[in-house]
Amino acid sequence: MTQFTTIPCGGRVQRADIPHLSFDTFRTQALDIVKNGGKVVHFFAYEDQGTMKLMAVLRTHELLAAGCDAPETYACLTKACEPFHLFEREMAEQYGIRPEGHPWLKMVRYHKNIRSKPDVFNNDYTEDIPGNYDYYQVKGDEIHEVAVGPVHAGVIEPGHFRFNCIGERVLHLEIQLGYQHRGVESLLLTAKSKQLPMLAENIAGDTTIGHGLCMAQAVEALASVQVDEGAKIIRTIALELERLANHIGDLGALCMDVAFLAPANYFGRIRGDFLNLSLLLCGNRFGKGLVRPGGVRFTLDDKIRKTLDERIKELKPQVEHVLELIFSASTVRARFEGCGSVRAEDADHLGLVGPAGRASGLAYDARRCFATEHYPHLLIPENAKTTGDVYARARVRYDEVRQSIEIIQFLIGKSVDTQPVEDGIQALQALAPSSFAVTLNEGWRGEVSHAVLTDDAGNLLRYKVKDPSFHNWNGLAMALRDTGISDFPLNNKSFNLSYCGFDL
Amino acid sequence: MLTILKNRFEQGYRTCNYPKEKPAVFPRYRGKPVIQKTVDPEMVKACADACPQDAIVVDKMKIDMGRCIFCGTCERLSKGEFVTFTGDFEISTANKADLLTDGDLPSLAQHAKQHFKKLFGRSLQLRQVSAAGCNACEADLNVLATPFFDLARFGINFVASPRHADAIVVTGPVSRNMKTALLQTYEAVPEPRVVIAVGSCTLTGGPFSHSAEVAKGLDTILPVDLFIPGCPPHPLTNLHGLLAFFKA
Ligand code: SF4
Ligand code: SF4
């Protein structure tokens, strides 16, 4: 029997070599793999010469892929296996394909489907989000609702949070996103070659390198472009700088939310220092414009390398001391420990990734499991914790901050020799026809992945983007169950998910 | 306790002395573009073709900083013959038309609405509205609250409610799903109110300007008083914009 086939991470596959199954076989096999511990990396629809098709990329210790023709309606997979839940909703929204019996068939980002099919959610999109959707309501005496957003109290992205509480206790949190939807996947598909890298970088600005790498590796795979080791080292440094800046920012923000202001301010400032190191490399604090198909646009010459080295040497003890300050404070532990726990089993069903997954015991880290760039030569520890609470999510960051500094210091010591590339436009204009590539990178929030299909003329046929936040938002909702509503900010920071990366 | 004190001592005093002194920015930073008018027009055309944002107006030999994402492609392609990006981060303007530049920018302090200085020069409360960008603009506004920039020392703060605000600071290209929330926030700010647009997205739709889901500039929706270009604007650009517009 034809089965899901193994595909390389970041390699080119002929589309003809991906098994095209009957829908029933596809469904049975996909369910089987995920029920036996597999994870969903991608599950999306696309149109190929007038026919709608589905594609699934699953992950065990390897990547598995298969496709099938898309039915207009089908018996949903979610009921049998939760990790498909959001993917099926997304597909229904993007293409109007209805998963019958889906336990929570709700829009994802609130937009029309691109095939002008009748709307699965009966929405009239001239009305404002959330259209005709009624939020979940808990009924009973003393139950009250709290509605927050889309505009939040701080300088943060928009989203709506609806809490159903009894007293201070949250019974249920429902999260509605989509406010930031700007049609990124369609833009990527129609973009001129010169615009594609820039668009990929702006999927989520705090994950510029993560998404930039996924885009670049996909194009490199499809255009058979080799990247030299020097460029790989620079990209690895950039990805770790991104992790450092964000993790340090998060730890500072967590301190702010438990009113430990000194380390909050120290880490606020130090985060900026790490952003400045990205600027040192490429002129932009978020690393925009650094990664391009074929390599990097900026080299690490001796002068830059020396400054980088000096700055890291100066920052390292400061970071360590502030970490000690935070993690040795009993008041911090008292607030972090036992707050917003997500059990390993729930994390597994929700398919959590990144630090949020590791905090609940899911050791998966794409840097270890699907190593790209310079990671095959690096030893990345497992960093898994067991308690799944705010403390565990902070502690994962504690470990990773220290490791990232080590990694960068180690890499600065290596000689890097690379030719800067311009905008990688040539590569983009020479994509292999009828091909498929999936790329995975461990961004600071977890697994970032792009899946790219080309048609028989070598044009982009489908560009699917997945930010780790797509997996993790429901983890936040789960963490809030039975947690005091006043602990929401703390929990929210401990996940610190991307709105725009989710909304696309 | 000792750890707390040791840390405090190690951290020292970190606030920059801006605007009295301009802090140094690393050399690869790309600030204000300066254009060489003597360049071969063919080169300008080549740069315009390569510009991912179509931000170069060939016949005028100018760059539209509203569209520009400061990627530096034009500078690299022309090897500086057409344009060089200087380390000057003071690039905000009070008129949208001034964003189209050859490197000569009118003084923001002089072009700012003078009555705003009187009203808000000593105390300015800002309400931020994030409307569908990539979150980097928000991040570099947020850092203004950190000790290095310390916005509060100028009497400027980000506040939680539009009712407490004098101005809204908008980031992102205003998606369809954020438009109502943005307008409601604007309405909730008591008059006279100021509108500040931060980042290429907000000025023109930026990298997302080809999407039907977003607006082609905040000024198509609301009257904008201050335009802060960049992708994202450097925190010092934001700081300069606020200080020059309201205080200088
Ligand atoms: S720096 Fe600005 S004008 Fe130059 S190529 Fe980039 S976006 Fe275009
Ligand atoms: S202007 Fe650039 S940095 Fe700012 S939100 Fe838009 S894409 Fe992000």
Side-chain angles (χ1 to χ4, degrees):
Chain A
M1 191 171 73
T2 354
Q3 297 203 341
F4 270 69
T5 189
T6 312
I7 59 165
C9 170
R12 177 168 74 92
V13 195
Q14 292 285 348
R15 277 171 57 205
D17 292 340
I18 297 171
H20 193 78
L21 312 173
S22 74
F23 177 74
D24 289 339
T25 317
F26 175 88
R27 184 177 190 281
T28 315
Q29 288 188 8
L31 286 175
D32 209 45
I33 294 168
V34 178
K35 275 185 183 162
N36 285 307
K39 295 280 175 295
V40 189
V41 178
H42 287 286
F43 179 36
F44 61 87
Y46 64 101
E47 195 164 345
D48 183 21
Q49 298 177 339
T51 315
M52 283 308 300
K53 293 181 178 166
L54 304 184
M55 173 81 84
V57 180
L58 309 175
R59 137 170 93 75
T60 54
H61 61 286
E62 55 192 4
L63 289 180
L64 301 166
C68 66
D69 282 347
E72 285 298 319
T73 68
Y74 66 97
C76 74
L77 283 72
T78 303
K79 218 165 190 174
C81 191
E82 299 94 331
F84 288 98
H85 137 253
L86 199 54
F87 291 93
E88 292 198 305
R89 278 169 51 188
E90 181 186 50
M91 213 146 70
E93 183 169 77
Q94 292 185 330
Y95 290 94
I97 298 171
R98 179 184 291 273
E100 292 292 355
H102 192 291
W104 193 17
L105 193 54
K106 175 195 174 185
M107 75 287 186
V108 181
R109 309 182 175 106
Y110 198 68
H111 62 81
K112 274 191 215 144
N113 66 63
I114 61 169
R115 286 199 299 158
S116 309
K117 288 275 165 191
D119 193 64
V120 174
F121 317 98
N122 293 325
N123 276 322
D124 165 6
Y125 292 95
T126 56
E127 280 170 30
D128 279 320
I129 184 172
N132 70 2
Y133 178 78
D134 283 327
Y135 290 99
Y136 268 111
Q137 274 188 331
V138 181
K139 288 241 165 73
D141 290 345
E142 296 174 39
I143 299 290
H144 65 101
E145 275 187 31
V146 179
V148 181
V151 181
H152 298 294
V155 183
I156 339 174
E157 298 177 81
H160 184 79
F161 300 99
R162 186 69 65 98
F163 300 88
N164 277 278
C165 306
I166 180 154
E168 283 281 297
R169 196 151 60 90
V170 177
L171 297 174
H172 180 72
L173 160 62
E174 186 169 357
I175 303 171
Q176 176 63 53
L177 302 176
Y179 294 88
Q180 305 257 72
H181 179 64
R182 57 225 128 110
V184 168
E185 285 183 3
S186 327
L187 276 173
L188 285 164
L189 208 56
T190 50
K192 294 187 191 141
S193 314
K194 64 179 182 178
Q195 293 162 335
L196 193 93
M198 155 193 92
L199 278 168
E201 289 180 331
N202 290 329
I203 292 166
D206 52 25
T207 313
T208 295
I209 303 293
H211 280 288
L213 275 178
C214 279
M215 173 278 304
Q217 291 165 359
V219 173
E220 286 152 9
L222 292 170
S224 305
V225 174
Q226 298 298 323
V227 179
D228 59 47
E229 207 50 44
K232 288 184 180 171
I233 289 176
I234 297 174
R235 290 168 169 201
T236 307
I237 293 176
L239 190 61
E240 293 305 319
L241 279 176
E242 185 166 272
R243 191 178 327 279
L244 268 173
N246 284 295
H247 279 0
I248 285 177
D250 285 351
L251 288 169
L254 282 167
C255 289
M256 187 66 94
D257 278 347
V258 298
F260 196 11
L261 299 186
N265 280 305
Y266 303 156
F267 266 177
R269 191 263 308 168
I270 294 174
R271 168 178 169 273
D273 287 339
F274 281 104
L275 292 176
N276 279 338
L277 295 183
S278 292
L279 185 142
L280 170 74
L281 265 180
C282 70
N284 182 289
R285 285 167 43 100
F286 297 84
K288 294 181 187 200
L290 176 63
V291 178
R292 286 295 178 270
V296 285
R297 280 172 84 226
F298 297 89
T299 57
L300 193 61
D301 59 35
D302 286 343
K303 216 170 138 205
I304 302 273
R305 197 202 314 210
K306 186 161 167 280
T307 316
L308 186 59
D309 190 39
E310 284 167 5
R311 290 290 166 123
I312 298 264
K313 280 206 185 103
E314 184 190 324
L315 288 166
K316 187 178 174 184
Q318 294 179 20
V319 170
E320 281 170 357
H321 297 156
V322 179
L323 284 175
E324 283 322 307
L325 176 61
I326 298 171
F327 284 86
S328 64
S330 57
T331 45
V332 168
R333 293 187 71 122
R335 290 281 274 109
F336 285 11
E337 281 178 349
C339 184
S341 300
V342 180
R343 291 181 308 161
E345 194 192 337
D346 292 331
D348 196 45
H349 283 202
L350 292 167
L352 300 193
V353 294
R358 292 195 275 282
S360 294
L362 307 178
Y364 173 67
D365 184 326
R367 291 178 296 172
R368 246 182 333 102
C369 306
F370 297 99
T372 59
E373 304 302 323
H374 200 67
Y375 292 108
H377 309 290
L378 298 170
L379 209 67
I380 306 289
E382 285 212 348
N383 298 330
K385 306 284 174 255
T386 51
T387 49
D389 50 4
V390 171
Y391 183 73
R393 288 187 285 276
R395 196 73 198 187
V396 172
R397 291 181 171 94
Y398 170 93
D399 291 345
E400 293 185 3
V401 161
R402 300 173 69 121
Q403 292 156 9
S404 294
I405 294 182
E406 296 288 332
I407 294 173
I408 293 173
Q409 285 198 309
F410 171 68
L411 292 179
I412 303 176
K414 287 184 159 289
S415 82
V416 283
D417 190 16
T418 185
Q419 277 301 315
V421 293
E422 226 354 279
D423 283 317
I425 291 173
Q426 289 86 347
L428 273 158
Q429 284 161 346
L431 303 184
S434 308
S435 301
F436 181 44
V438 178
T439 52
L440 261 75
N441 287 286
E442 187 73 16
W444 64 278
R445 282 194 189 93
E447 176 191 278
V448 186
S449 182
H450 292 191
V452 186
L453 288 160
T454 57
D455 64 14
D456 51 15
N459 295 317
L460 294 179
L461 177 67
R462 179 78 163 98
Y463 198 122
K464 185 80 199 79
V465 175
K466 189 199 65 189
D467 188 89
S469 305
F470 193 72
H471 291 287
N472 284 0
W473 273 107
N474 280 317
L476 173 60
M478 191 55 91
L480 258 285
R481 290 235 165 136
D482 238 357
T483 298
I485 191 169
S486 49
D487 278 335
F488 173 69
L490 187 60
N491 275 281
N492 192 20
K493 296 282 167 39
S494 77
F495 280 86
N496 192 8
L497 301 173
S498 175
Y499 300 69
C500 56
F502 179 97
D503 287 348
L504 296 179
Chain B
M1 191 65 206
L2 203 61
T3 337
I4 297 183
L5 289 175
K6 269 208 307 235
N7 262 286
R8 182 67 199 88
F9 188 68
E10 180 179 42
Q11 291 292 328
Y13 181 81
R14 298 280 179 176
T15 306
C16 69
N17 204 8
Y18 188 79
K20 282 202 192 96
E21 281 164 45
K22 286 193 191 179
V25 185
F26 286 127
R28 284 181 179 171
Y29 166 70
R30 291 174 293 279
K32 186 168 82 177
V34 173
I35 283 171
Q36 320 299 325
K37 294 264 179 186
T38 50
V39 65
D40 177 2
E42 283 306 308
M43 178 59 87
V44 185
K45 243 193 115 264
C47 289
D49 286 343
C51 171
Q53 278 292 90
D54 300 318
I56 300 172
V57 181
V58 178
D59 50 353
K60 295 206 174 108
M61 286 208 181
K62 285 184 174 176
I63 287 181
D64 180 358
M65 289 200 301
R67 300 194 52 82
C68 179
I69 54 165
F70 298 82
C71 66
T73 298
C74 48
E75 180 182 31
R76 291 158 70 104
L77 186 69
S78 72
K79 301 201 169 53
E81 280 173 28
F82 166 50
V83 55
T84 47
F85 286 87
T86 65
D88 185 358
F89 50 78
E90 301 185 340
I91 53 176
S92 303
T93 69
N95 295 305
K96 196 172 186 189
D98 293 337
L99 291 167
L100 187 64
T101 187
D102 52 13
D104 207 14
L105 285 176
S107 146
L108 177 60
Q110 277 168 30
H111 285 75
K113 301 200 173 85
Q114 302 302 321
H115 63 285
F116 283 155
K117 288 191 211 258
K118 230 194 223 146
L119 280 168
F120 305 125
R122 292 162 68 86
S123 156
L124 174 67
Q125 311 302 317
L126 307 170
R127 173 62 259 194
Q128 207 271 323
V129 184
S130 161
C134 78
N135 194 31
C137 276
E138 289 84 341
D140 267 351
L141 281 169
N142 236 335
V143 294
L144 295 181
T146 62
F148 183 80
F149 303 101
D150 192 14
L151 190 63
R153 74 194 144 121
F154 302 106
I156 308 176
N157 295 291
F158 285 101
V159 293
S161 167
R163 297 278 190 220
H164 305 158
D166 308 308
I168 56 169
V169 180
V170 184
T171 52
V174 192
S175 56
R176 188 174 43 82
N177 288 344
M178 260 315 280
K179 193 170 168 185
T180 304
L182 167 68
L183 292 177
Q184 286 176 347
T185 309
Y186 172 75
E187 290 298 333
V189 176
E191 288 185 82
R193 55 199 161 204
V194 189
V195 178
I196 303 168
V198 173
S200 161
C201 279
T202 323
L203 302 188
T204 58
F208 308 107
S209 58
H210 298 287
S211 168
E213 296 280 339
V214 306
K216 312 277 176 259
L218 180 65
D219 61 322
T220 62
I221 304 173
L222 292 173
V224 178
D225 300 292
L226 173 58
F227 299 83
I228 306 186
C231 183
H234 193 282
L236 288 167
T237 305
N238 288 323
L239 191 55
H240 163 259
L242 292 172
L243 297 185
F245 191 84
F246 290 103
K247 298 180 87 85

